[in-house]
Amino acid sequence: MSVSDGSGTPGRLTALQQTALVELFAGFPAAVQELGERFAAGGHELHLVGGTVRDFLLGRAQDDLDFTTDARPERVLELVAGWAEATWDTGIDFGTVGVLKQGHRLEITTFRADLYDGQSRNPAVTYGDTLLGDLQRRDFAVNAMAVSVVDRHFTDPFGGLAQLAARVLDTPGTPEDSFRDDPLRMLRAARFAAQLGFTPAPRVVAAMAAMSAQITRITVERVTAELVKLIEGRYPRAGLTLLVDTGLAGHVLPELPRLRLQIDEHHQHKDVYDHSLMVLDQAIAQETDGPDRTLRLAALLHDIGKPDTRRLEEGGGVSFHHHEVVGRKLVRKRMRELKFPKAITEDVAELTFLHLRFHGYGSGAWTDSAVRRYVADAGELLPRLHKLVRADCTTRNPRRKAALQRSYDQLEERIAELSVAEDLARVRPDLDGNAIMELLGVGPGPVVGRAWKFLKELKLDRGPLDRDEAEALLLVWAREQGLLPPG
């Protein structure tokens, strides 16, 4: 193995590099070496590059591998013909050919030397001729390392390995030039802070703050994709804090910095911004099967209605009446603008609306009717609502915190008890639509819907009814509504 700084002149590997590369190659599948030999036989270079090298050095194994080469896309297709189990060319306009081999997805991209005009949202794709030129155009030095597949030559022209060891994020050139080329890289810096726990170099942070408005050049779809990766990262608080501190959040998620409400000496209250980040941390601590995107977004956004509902009360208090109602509207508005799928948008909005419902019962003296309604309103979101409500308890008073947790424990016990007796997961009227139409002598239409809703409310209040009782009460209701003559 050998190493160079990109000039082509081999140097000596440090002990750190030597150990890292031995481990790196020990983890690569046989398909990588086979592919490298095919390219070498055809007179072309092939290097593992970017995130693939970075993640292997971090011990993050992966099935998707990225390569770079001097071969043009059409030539790449020729070289893998008869060897690849499948190929796809959806990225060929950007110089990328996809290959499937032995269960691994291999993406092979021709050296790039893209040019940006500083105004458009996407670069003009231009092929390069050298590995150094390709690495120089990449976003961060930790993503600008490459390893030749055949001779295992390690190229690290911008000190990426040292930065990887120090968990520092810096750009190959000046951050201003890098972010001017592609402003999305500012969001990627926050995303890597959230995913990998890296700390951006001071000059990177300064450039992000100075150039934050440039993010508006980027399409909503690309912005949202980065935000999702950030939210689902291992350390989302770090990424979100970076977005807020640099001003980027003001352009992509403005509701977040608005949570930093001014606190004066006469009206004390918990900082809503810090509280929301703590709720996010506590929601994540309850996850059992990987990142829960819906829960994390709800935890982060559940209080975004507070700035618009803040009222200063006599005596130094602060109130946020109906902030859950306002918050639901704001969640829908922001997530629609970010083009999140409708289903997740509605789920996050509904969790925002429901997160205070538990506190509305005060003493914890839940009636059977209240328990039924809580479960019915939450529907399939109930497991997430449980986690959100528990995460929302951020008081530093240990007695108050213990009391709230005990109260919610009792609610969950009540839910479990009633679920066994009444199948709370599916609260439906005791009469179906056909029975309603037969009893009232009506056909399909709005009357059946009104009757169905009446019966559901009745069941929520009283619990399951036998058929005779349900029919008698429905007839009384129908007469009161003028749907039947008095009898």
Side-chain angles (χ1 to χ4, degrees), residues 126 148 180 214 246 289 291 313 357 395 448 474:
T126 305
S148 174
R180 191 176 299 112
Q214 292 290 314
T246 58
D289 191 25
E313 307 290 350
R357 184 70 57 86
T395 179
V448 179
L474 180 60

Side-chain angles (χ1 to χ4, degrees), residues 273-426:
Y273 170 71
D274 286 339
H275 164 74
S276 297
L277 293 180
M278 189 177 297
V279 173
L280 174 61
D281 288 340
Q282 294 185 167
I284 291 171
Q286 298 178 71
E287 292 176 338
T288 57
D289 191 25
D292 185 333
R293 185 183 307 177
T294 300
L295 176 64
R296 292 188 180 199
L297 285 168
L300 180 65
L301 302 177
H302 74 286
D303 274 346
I304 66 170
K306 280 191 171 180
D308 289 342
T309 57
R310 181 174 184 248
R311 298 292 182 271
L312 304 180
E313 307 290 350
E314 293 184 8
V318 180
S319 66
F320 304 97
H321 296 308
H322 307 301
H323 74 269
E324 76 280 11
V325 178
V326 174
R328 176 167 62 178
K329 294 178 181 178
L330 291 175
V331 164
R332 283 180 176 144
K333 180 177 182 292
R334 175 55 50 203
M335 293 185 67
R336 285 169 181 169
E337 289 184 0
L338 289 171
K339 298 186 178 180
F340 275 91
K342 182 178 179 179
I344 189 173
T345 296
E346 288 304 309
D347 284 350
V348 175
E350 199 61 21
L351 286 168
T352 299
F353 177 67
L354 293 172
H355 83 275
L356 281 185
R357 184 70 57 86
F358 163 73
H359 299 282
Y361 291 89
S363 66
W366 288 69
T367 64
D368 287 353
S369 175
V371 173
R372 293 188 196 101
R373 290 183 181 278
Y374 191 81
V375 174
D377 289 346
E380 294 181 355
L381 293 173
L382 185 62
R384 289 190 174 107
L385 183 59
H386 288 332
K387 294 176 181 178
L388 178 60
V389 173
R390 289 185 181 278
D392 197 25
C393 178
T394 61
T395 179
R396 295 181 181 178
N397 183 323
R399 293 179 62 183
R400 175 169 168 75
K401 185 168 187 176
L404 285 170
Q405 296 294 356
R406 277 197 308 271
S407 182
Y408 206 81
D409 288 342
Q410 292 168 4
L411 171 58
E412 290 204 56
E413 290 171 4
R414 293 286 306 286
I415 291 173
E417 292 168 1
L418 280 178
S419 293
V420 172
E422 302 180 12
D423 189 15
L424 289 187
R426 297 189 306 146

Side-chain angles (χ1 to χ4, degrees), residues 171 173-181 203-204 206-208 210-211:
T171 51
T174 68
E176 290 79 8
D177 286 344
S178 181
F179 298 157
R180 191 176 299 112
D181 280 350
R203 67 171 189 162
V204 171
M208 291 170 67
M211 302 176 68

